[in-house]
Amino acid sequence: MRTVRVLFLGASRLVGLMRRFRAAAAAESVAINLASIEDESPWHAIGASGSCRVVHGPAFDSPEFDPFVLRLVEEGPVDAVIPVIDPAVQAVARLSEALQRAGALPIVSRAELCQQVYDKAEAVRFFRSHGVAIPDGPAFPRLAKPRFGSSSRDHVVFRDQDELTFWTARNRARDYVIQPFLQGTEYSVDAYVTRDGRLQGAVARVRVVVSGGEVMVTRTERDEAVLDVARRTAAIPGWYGPLNIQVMKTAAGPFLLEVNPRFSSGVTCAIEAGLDGPRFILRERLGRSFPAGPIEWRSGLCMTRSREDHFVWLS
């Protein structure tokens, strides 16, 4: 039986995603070997649960990382490299050509695109130039978010100009993006784009309960206006693999909030709904065909998460 070897970067807590890759391998009648590069912490859930082997390595932005991962891929060998956190996306995009020469398939969008969406100030200019609706204008309340932040950390809301002026006098505004604070329904759209730029599908879901920037309860909900924003965003050349497109639907219409060119933490809901990114990746690496058209899915699938305990002896 053929064995497909997949190397993740930063999978750490994504036990559910690892299980979905194992299910995809079973559906494709292949064996699978999963490993993920992580820091030196001994308690990564994917390792403690036995769902993925942990390889301790240097930080993704350190000078030691590039030779480390290339050596790992060459010695593996590794069939596919998949980044699942933002710094890892930048690393794999930077190394895409070298990884391909080493025999691996990097599941990552074009490097310029990854850099533009990683920097939220650049992302605003980029998406505006492509005619995608983004939060704009001088209205209050306003929101400041770090240019290189994630998971809604360190966001600040200003009710009026006095609060913004007070904050600006004490912080470096150039390190933030300041936009109107939109109120409405937030959608997270999981999408998958093939290597030839075809949208394999996009599943919209409402973030019902969020904790620490990570979704705990979500449900699929088909909204054509939201999906239109996602489709136009996904049609921009250069995307490849999984995308997470965040959209806020307001009384004035839907607006793009941001794009993460990787699997989202709640992607298992979209996988269950029919957007089987793990299986798409395996089929591509195995040289097998994709479904002829975009996947079909429907509203009403709810995913609720529960905490699962794992145990590791530290001494």
Side-chain angles (χ1 to χ4, degrees):
M1 180 183 288
R2 168 74 188 274
T3 298
V4 179
R5 295 171 174 82
V6 180
L7 177 65
F8 294 92
L9 275 65
S12 189
R13 295 181 298 165
L14 301 181
V15 174
L17 183 60
M18 301 301 103
R19 290 171 177 166
R20 293 290 174 161
F21 267 88
R22 294 192 179 280
E28 293 296 325
S29 299
V30 296
I32 195 164
N33 182 297
L34 304 178
S36 184
I37 300 176
E38 307 292 343
D39 64 24
E40 293 294 331
S41 301
W43 45 71
H44 295 286
I46 53 171
S49 65
S51 57
C52 179
R53 181 170 59 92
V54 171
V55 178
H56 296 296
F60 302 135
D61 59 356
S62 70
E64 297 80 19
F65 180 75
D66 291 11
F68 174 84
V69 70
L70 290 173
R71 183 171 62 253
L72 201 63
V73 169
E74 290 169 353
E75 293 175 353
V78 170
D79 293 295
V81 179
I82 306 175
V84 286
I85 60 173
D86 294 338
V89 169
Q90 301 304 310
V92 175
R94 180 181 68 245
L95 292 169
S96 180
E97 292 185 4
L99 289 168
Q100 291 179 65
R101 288 194 298 269
L105 175 64
I107 309 299
V108 71
S109 296
R110 190 182 300 162
E112 312 90 81
L113 268 181
C114 293
Q115 182 57 45
Q116 283 168 320
V117 298
Y118 187 54
D119 181 344
K120 290 180 173 57
E122 286 296 320
V124 166
R125 289 187 282 270
F126 176 75
F127 290 120
R128 183 184 289 134
S129 73
H130 281 82
V132 179
I134 57 172
D136 205 0
F140 281 89
R142 297 183 72 73
L143 171 71
K145 52 187 181 181
R147 286 179 61 177
F148 300 99
S150 62
S151 302
S152 301
R153 286 191 289 267
D154 299 321
H155 285 197
V156 185
V157 177
F158 311 106
R159 293 171 295 180
D160 53 37
Q161 184 62 53
D162 288 343
E163 289 187 354
L164 176 58
T165 300
F166 180 87
W167 179 87
T168 303
R170 291 158 178 80
N171 295 272
R172 295 201 310 176
R174 65 178 179 273
D175 292 338
Y176 292 78
V177 172
I178 302 176
Q179 302 172 313
F181 176 70
L182 301 183
Q183 300 184 61
T185 302
E186 184 177 353
Y187 287 79
S188 192
V189 183
D190 293 302
Y192 193 92
V193 179
T194 63
R195 292 192 83 183
D196 58 3
R198 180 167 56 88
L199 180 63
Q200 193 62 43
V203 174
R205 50 188 176 82
V206 177
R207 290 154 59 90
V208 180
V209 177
V210 178
S211 176
E214 187 169 314
V215 69
M216 300 303 293
V217 179
T218 186
R219 73 172 185 272
T220 59
E221 185 171 302
R222 184 178 290 277
D223 185 294
E224 288 304 322
V226 169
L227 288 168
D228 182 63
V229 171
R231 292 185 191 110
R232 287 191 287 116
T233 302
I236 296 171
W239 301 119
Y240 168 49
L243 301 178
N244 180 249
I245 303 167
Q246 296 179 17
V247 180
M248 181 72 78
K249 187 177 184 183
T250 72
F255 294 87
L256 176 68
L257 298 180
E258 63 180 59
V259 177
N260 297 304
R262 53 172 172 78
F263 284 118
S264 66
S265 65
V267 72
T268 48
C269 183
I271 296 171
E272 181 70 17
L275 188 70
D276 199 343
R279 197 167 180 184
F280 297 156
I281 290 170
L282 295 186
R283 290 189 70 83
E284 181 155 4
R285 191 66 181 96
L286 294 165
R288 299 174 183 175
S289 62
F290 277 65
I295 61 105
E296 295 292 332
W297 61 279
R298 62 188 181 92
S299 300
L301 176 64
C302 179
M303 179 188 78
T304 181
R305 283 178 155 161
S306 62
R307 300 190 185 279
E308 183 177 348
D309 300 329
H310 304 286
F311 301 91
V312 178
W313 285 105
L314 301 182
S315 61

